[in-house]
Amino acid sequence: MRTPALVAVAITTALLTGCSGGADPGSPAATPAAAGGVTSARSETPDPVVAESARQTEKPTDAALSEDTEAICAQAGRTSASFGKTVAEDSRLLAQAAGEGAEAKARAREKATRDVENFSFALLDMSKLAGDPAVKKALATMGAQVTALKGDVTKIDDKKLAQLKSTLDKACGRG
C-alpha cells in the first residue's frame, strides 16, 4: 500500500515544484501535444467518464496517503533537503548574476522567488494531505513561515533551514 502513496506524493511534489502557477492541467495548453505544437485527431474535449474515473481514483489515494504519516514525513524530508540544495544554487546564481547586468539579475531573482514559492506550496499541500494532527500542523506552520518570506531567498540561511527541519523532525517523531 505504500508504493501508491509514495507515487502520489512524488507526483504531487513534481507537479508543484515544476509548475509556475500557469495553465490548468486539463487545459489544451497544458497537454504535451499542444505544448509541442503537434495536434492529434482526438477531440480536445475531455471525456466526462474518464474525468470522473480519474477523480474517483484520486480520492482513495489521497485518503490512503493521509493515513500514511511515514510516507508524508519521508516526502516532506526529501522535499526540504532538495529545497536546501536549491537555495544554495539560487544564492550562487544571484551572486553570479549581480555582475552580469539588470536582465540577468531579474531572471535570477525570478527563479529564486519561484523556487521559494514552490516549496511553500508543496509544504502547504502536504499539510492538507496529512492525517496526523502534529504533522499537519508542522507542515502548515513550515509552509506559512516560508510563505512569509515572500519568495526572498536571501532571507533563508542555514539557521532557517535547520529550524524548518527541526519542526518537521519533531512532528514526525525523529527529534
Side-chain angles (χ1 to χ4, degrees):
M1 186 52 98
R2 284 192 177 139
T3 302
L6 291 174
V7 170
V9 170
I11 290 170
T12 301
T13 302
L15 290 173
L16 290 173
T17 57
C19 81
S20 61
D24 175 31
S27 71
T31 62
V38 179
T39 60
S40 69
R42 294 189 322 180
S43 168
E44 295 294 332
T45 306
D47 182 351
V49 174
V50 173
E52 181 58 30
S53 173
R55 280 192 291 276
Q56 289 175 353
T57 306
E58 290 172 12
K59 290 177 184 173
T61 303
D62 289 350
L65 185 59
S66 71
E67 295 171 11
D68 194 347
T69 300
E70 185 179 317
I72 290 177
C73 286
Q75 183 61 38
R78 287 189 298 273
T79 303
S80 295
S82 176
F83 179 67
K85 293 175 186 172
T86 300
V87 167
E89 291 168 6
D90 286 346
S91 294
R92 282 192 295 275
L93 182 64
L94 287 166
Q96 179 183 0
E100 295 179 6
E103 185 177 330
K105 285 192 278 189
R107 280 194 314 266
R109 202 170 22 254
E110 181 181 308
K111 180 191 179 309
T113 298
R114 187 176 53 246
D115 289 341
V116 173
E117 289 171 349
N118 286 342
F119 180 56
S120 173
F121 294 145
L123 292 170
L124 293 170
D125 281 349
M126 283 186 276
S127 77
K128 293 173 188 170
L129 290 175
D132 181 281
V135 173
K136 181 181 279 296
K137 182 178 179 182
L139 289 168
T141 299
M142 292 167 62
Q145 290 173 348
V146 175
T147 299
L149 301 173
K150 298 187 188 314
D152 188 353
V153 75
T154 63
K155 294 180 180 176
I156 302 170
D157 57 11
D158 290 341
K159 184 179 176 182
K160 182 67 175 173
L161 290 172
Q163 176 192 7
L164 292 171
K165 183 182 182 317
S166 174
T167 300
L168 180 63
D169 285 349
K170 286 178 187 173
C172 291
R174 296 185 290 223

